[in-house]
Amino acid sequence: MTNAAAPSAPASARAELAATLRLAAPLVGANLLQMAVYAVDVVFVARLGEVELAAATLGVYIYSVILFAMSGLVGAAAPIIAAELGRSRHAVREVRRSFRMGAWIAVLGSLPFMALLAHGESLLLLAGQDPRVAVRADAFLDILLWAMIPALAGNVMRITASALGRAGWAMAITALGLVVSILANWLLVFGNLGLPALGLEGSAIASLSTAIAMMLAYAIVLVADRRLRRFRLFGNWWRGEWARLRQIVVLGVPIAATMTFEGALFSAAGFLMGRIGVTEVAAHAIALQIAAFLFQVPFGIAQAATIRVGLAYGARDRMWIGRAGWAALAVGTGFMGFTALLLWIAPRAFLSVYIDASAPANASMVALALQYLAIAAIFQLADGAQAVAAGVLRGVQDTRVPMVIAFVGYWGIGFTASVALGFWTDLAGVGVWIGLALGLLAVALLLVDRWRRRDRLGLVRPV
């Protein structure tokens, strides 16, 4: 079956910019709402006490690192689907194959990690954590681990719907997930409306319920939406397509590794701060939360860029490829330039969202956080550029060299500089943040340069 309605190249750079913004806006909205879902869990669990909060924090960290990496793996289906649509031949069948194998990977790939999460107490004790916290985190993870399959399956459905031009559903369904999360936490953590107060376990059940609700909502959309249902995405779900599965794995493993390198760098920075002081850890956590929230915008733009560039790559249209990539880079870096200016001008306004910045008890933490945010304002541009550059390179299915660049930049340069400046100079926590900025800048420069030289490097196939 052919795809007579395959997307065509926009007539101008302005048209491409508009197409990128239309696709990116709901993805950005979905990412920001997902941050809100995570925040809801913290708000409820924080009222249970320090041990419970520490257990949930460590449990979610272990779970989210695995989920983040696996999302990168199954996310490789997005550029493949986009390229299939761009080629305009056999798109329905090929899209269905990519979706099916992405879903298989989501389910089968989750199983060994779920088995690992079932030993949460042992993992945390090996990491030297408090035994009381390890026991509670183990109970939390015993429930949360079941959310991995629906979360990843929902992610495959989300990227497929987005690649097929229905990204608005991502924002709507994540909003639904936020409502479910708030309601389920309210009902189960403290036992409202006659339900038992389950505490920490109730929060884990709430997270599981949210993941299942979002997965089911995506499934309904895929069969009910007029544009999506013609692909019959759940047809022949039992049939293996081994060549396509290998293609997703080969493309996706480097993406998963790249995302793990970056996430692990910021986690390692937190451990470095712990060796400097308690106040430094608190200031670092708040400043990093602000930076992570702002990062959701270029991350959403990067997701859109992968699809837009992937369409052009499938069509083998060199001009469209370049236009789509540069449009996304302009939007991503432009926004982060704006947020960098806001952080530089009014950092206290951002801090006040999380803490009382005027309270005397918080004076030392606020002073440190303001210094970290000043550096964050500088690396906002680099952070946006590296995220979008990685996205556009994924659009041309280039993931292996970017993985190497990420490892060298984040760990060879960023982590090394953080250790050197944080512990061998008087900069302390500020030095750690300067190291993070240097790592992001190195990755951004190398990835953007690789994109600039895409033709000479043979990343774009001849027309």
Side-chain angles (χ1 to χ4, degrees), residues 236 330 404 410:
N236 299 329
V404 176
Y410 294 140

Side-chain angles (χ1 to χ4, degrees), residues 51 54-55 58 120-121 124-137:
V51 171
L58 291 173
E121 181 180 2
L124 291 173
L125 289 176
L126 285 174
Q129 301 302 309
D130 187 305
R132 296 173 302 159
V133 173
V135 169
R136 297 301 293 133

Side-chain angles (χ1 to χ4, degrees), residues 26-344:
L27 295 176
V28 169
N31 291 342
L32 293 174
L33 285 169
Q34 189 64 59
M35 291 288 288
V37 172
Y38 297 146
V40 165
D41 295 333
V42 174
V43 168
F44 278 92
V45 174
R47 300 181 183 182
L48 298 175
E50 288 185 356
V51 171
E52 304 292 88
L53 178 58
T57 300
L58 291 173
V60 168
Y61 170 68
I62 297 172
Y63 171 82
S64 62
V65 166
I66 296 172
L67 183 66
F68 196 48
M70 285 295 296
S71 296
L73 176 59
V74 300
I80 295 173
I81 290 173
E84 289 158 354
L85 290 171
R87 289 190 193 101
S88 75
R89 59 182 180 82
H90 306 300
V92 170
R93 185 180 302 162
E94 296 302 317
V95 167
R96 186 164 58 241
R97 288 172 175 169
S98 296
F99 170 78
R100 185 163 68 245
M101 290 302 96
W104 277 33
I105 293 170
V107 174
L108 298 177
S110 295
L111 298 179
F113 291 112
M114 291 171 64
L116 179 66
L117 291 174
H119 297 85
E121 181 180 2
S122 298
L123 292 173
L124 291 173
L125 289 176
L126 285 174
Q129 301 302 309
D130 187 305
R132 296 173 302 159
V133 173
V135 169
R136 297 301 293 133
D138 186 72
F140 180 75
L141 284 171
D142 282 346
I143 299 170
L144 185 63
L145 65 86
W146 295 103
M148 183 160 291
I149 289 178
L152 287 173
N155 192 41
V156 174
M157 297 180 199
R158 166 182 160 159
I159 62 176
T160 302
S162 300
L164 296 175
R166 304 296 279 171
W169 285 116
M171 186 171 177
I173 291 174
T174 310
L176 169 67
L178 177 60
V179 173
V180 172
S181 178
I182 293 172
L183 180 60
N185 272 285
W186 182 75
L187 288 172
L188 298 174
V189 173
F190 298 108
N192 287 295
L193 297 183
L195 293 176
L198 300 178
L200 186 63
E201 286 82 352
S203 179
I205 295 172
S207 296
L208 173 59
S209 301
T210 301
I212 292 174
M214 291 177 66
M215 179 190 69
L216 293 176
Y218 276 119
I220 292 170
V221 164
L222 293 185
V223 298
D225 184 281
R226 276 200 314 179
R227 185 183 301 183
L228 300 176
R229 68 187 178 198
R230 76 183 189 89
F231 288 89
R232 301 194 304 276
L233 292 168
F234 293 107
N236 299 329
W237 59 267
W238 62 87
R239 182 179 298 171
E241 301 286 348
W242 309 117
R244 184 57 47 84
L245 187 145
R246 283 194 299 273
Q247 184 183 6
I248 294 174
V249 170
V250 168
L251 190 63
V253 166
I255 298 175
T258 297
M259 296 172 76
T260 302
F261 294 153
E262 182 178 5
L265 172 66
F266 286 97
S267 298
F271 284 105
L272 292 180
M273 288 294 191
R275 297 178 67 88
I276 296 173
V278 175
T279 305
E280 282 79 2
V281 172
H284 170 79
I286 295 171
L288 191 59
Q289 183 69 22
I290 293 170
F293 181 82
L294 296 174
F295 176 74
Q296 299 310 307
V297 176
F299 186 50
I301 294 168
Q303 292 170 321
T306 297
I307 294 171
R308 293 298 304 170
V309 174
L311 290 169
Y313 179 73
R316 300 193 179 189
D317 187 328
R318 288 178 183 271
M319 289 188 63
W320 185 9
I321 290 172
R323 193 180 292 158
W326 288 119
L329 282 164
V331 173
T333 55
F335 176 83
M336 293 308 266
F338 174 69
T339 60
L341 183 62
L342 291 180
L343 280 175
W344 190 265

Side-chain angles (χ1 to χ4, degrees), residues 288-424:
L288 191 59
Q289 183 69 22
I290 293 170
F293 181 82
L294 296 174
F295 176 74
Q296 299 310 307
V297 176
F299 186 50
I301 294 168
Q303 292 170 321
T306 297
I307 294 171
R308 293 298 304 170
V309 174
L311 290 169
Y313 179 73
R316 300 193 179 189
D317 187 328
R318 288 178 183 271
M319 289 188 63
W320 185 9
I321 290 172
R323 193 180 292 158
W326 288 119
L329 282 164
V331 173
T333 55
F335 176 83
M336 293 308 266
F338 174 69
T339 60
L341 183 62
L342 291 180
L343 280 175
W344 190 265
I345 294 174
R348 282 183 175 270
F350 288 91
L351 285 178
S352 297
V353 175
Y354 295 90
I355 58 170
D356 183 356
S358 61
N362 294 330
S364 297
M365 180 174 60
V366 169
L368 286 172
L370 288 173
Q371 294 181 60
Y372 301 159
L373 286 178
I375 300 169
I378 296 172
F379 77 49
Q380 288 292 296
L381 279 170
D383 204 11
Q386 65 84 20
V388 180
V392 298
L393 288 169
R394 287 167 194 160
V396 295
Q397 302 187 15
D398 178 43
T399 60
R400 291 185 183 180
V401 172
M403 175 187 67
V404 176
I405 289 173
F407 180 76
V408 172
Y410 294 140
W411 287 90
I413 297 174
F415 184 72
T416 301
S418 290
V419 172
L421 295 174
F423 295 92
W424 301 345

